[in-house]
Amino acid sequence: AAAGAVTPAGTAEQDFLGGAITLPAGFVRKGDIIRIRGTVFVVNKNSTDTLAVNVYVGTEVVAALAAENVAANDYADFEMDVVVRTNAVSGKLWGRGIKTDFAAEGSQVPVIAHTAEATEDTTVALPVKATATWSVSHANNDARLDRFEVSILRK
């Protein structure tokens, strides 16, 4: 999937960060693993404004980078494996992986991340995307998705 989209500067609402792909309707099957990897880079920021990032499969947040007071040139990474436990209108997804907090390159600390089992209609097209939310609207608040990879691992 494409990467490098910049969040619209100056907004404090959840914005599409870029790199989204859509899995076609009926594509995922029980037992599939949706592997999502990404890197978010802080281009610039204002004062003590915070940044939060969410990664979605369909309507479910599968990775959340909590709001934190970032600095320009900070990075955060995530790698989540989302398991399709049931493929149905009331399909079940569950995820586990690793994420880092925002920090200067090379100083991020990885932590285990997981999502509780969630219900998602896996029979329809499933968008996989990342969003960013700044705490305050300011023209200097900018972040971009430098890497966003989505792959399907099938048994």
Side-chain angles (χ1 to χ4, degrees):
V6 176
T7 58
T11 179
E13 298 175 8
Q14 182 170 272
D15 285 309
F16 172 60
L17 194 53
I21 69 153
T22 299
L23 302 175
F27 181 75
V28 296
R29 302 188 292 220
K30 180 180 177 179
D32 282 356
I33 296 171
I34 305 167
R35 178 164 288 162
I36 309 162
R37 298 176 182 172
T39 301
V40 179
F41 175 72
V42 179
V43 177
N44 199 5
K45 62 101 47 156
N46 175 59
S47 186
T48 59
D49 298 354
T50 62
L51 174 64
V53 173
N54 287 323
V55 179
Y56 289 86
V57 172
T59 60
E60 298 301 323
V61 174
V62 296
L65 304 176
E68 57 180 297
N69 183 8
V70 297
N73 300 313
D74 276 358
Y75 283 88
D77 294 286
F78 54 86
E79 180 173 323
M80 292 297 290
D81 284 346
V82 179
V83 178
V84 179
R85 288 188 166 167
T86 352
N87 183 23
V89 172
S90 295
K92 302 292 184 192
L93 302 176
W94 173 84
R96 189 158 178 86
I98 297 172
K99 65 180 182 177
T100 67
D101 289 335
F102 284 94
E105 184 173 10
S107 61
Q108 302 100 325
V109 177
V111 295
I112 300 296
H114 74 279
T115 59
E117 185 175 82
T119 301
E120 184 72 31
D121 184 350
T122 58
T123 65
V124 299
L126 289 173
V128 181
K129 66 181 181 179
T131 63
T133 307
W134 289 96
S135 61
V136 174
S137 177
H138 193 279
N140 287 345
N141 290 338
D142 250 339
R144 71 174 182 244
L145 193 58
D146 276 354
R147 178 177 64 105
F148 191 72
E149 304 166 8
V150 177
S151 54
I152 303 296
L153 305 175
R154 217 166 240 166
K155 294 181 182 181

